Amino acid sequence: MKRVLTITLSSDWKANLEKAAATMQRGVKSGKYQGEVLNFESPAVLFGKLTERRWNLVREIQRADKPVGVREIARRVKRDVRRVHDDLAVLLELGLIERTDDEALVCPFSDIHVDMHMRAA
């Protein structure tokens, strides 16, 4: 199964919870995968957590044809291993990447979509 992640922006936690519950119900009724959502409460939080360097790490891991280790990722992006390790810890916490049983890293998502809207007040 190909996993899909949608990244959203919304500070309304109640609406997000209701939307997640409705999505879960649809999935239970249909028996079909509904995708996954990662929400940030503001653009500042989104861009604070998902910096350009971290996006590059996700992209590199997503491109890899097999799970990769921290040193290999650091080599591929030409960055210091310690700094890459720190950035990977944030990405693991957010769920954008995962560890395999042998501690290598993978991006479980075949598609990551950022859904942002900016509307006039």
Side-chain angles (χ1 to χ4, degrees):
M1 169 184 65
K2 291 186 176 188
R3 290 173 62 186
V4 176
L5 176 68
T6 301
I7 297 174
T8 61
L9 286 174
S10 175
S11 60
D12 187 350
W13 65 270
K14 264 187 179 176
N16 288 337
L17 191 57
E18 290 168 359
K19 192 173 183 180
T23 300
M24 184 184 71
Q25 288 297 326
R26 277 195 310 275
V28 168
K29 285 181 183 176
S30 70
K32 294 181 181 177
Y33 176 68
Q34 300 294 305
E36 297 162 58
V37 176
L38 174 62
N39 184 68
F40 292 93
E41 63 186 32
S42 70
V45 175
L46 168 68
F47 295 122
K49 291 285 187 178
L50 296 177
T51 64
E52 182 179 359
R53 288 183 176 191
R54 290 176 184 156
W55 271 117
N56 288 338
L57 292 172
V58 172
R59 186 178 311 116
E60 195 61 46
I61 295 168
Q62 193 178 38
R63 280 187 200 149
D65 56 347
K66 61 182 181 179
V68 291
V70 175
R71 289 185 185 279
E72 174 62 17
I73 295 165
R75 185 190 65 74
R76 290 181 184 193
V77 296
K78 297 177 175 76
R79 288 184 52 208
D80 176 71
V81 173
R82 181 66 192 153
R83 300 290 178 239
V84 167
H85 180 272
D86 293 345
D87 283 343
L88 292 171
V90 173
L91 296 172
L92 283 162
E93 182 181 319
L94 292 171
L96 282 164
I97 60 174
E98 296 177 350
R99 287 205 181 270
T100 63
D101 291 338
D102 62 352
E103 296 298 308
L105 298 161
V106 296
C107 179
F109 303 105
S110 60
D111 182 38
I112 299 174
H113 172 80
V114 180
D115 188 10
M116 294 178 22
H117 300 275
M118 193 160 73
R119 295 186 177 112

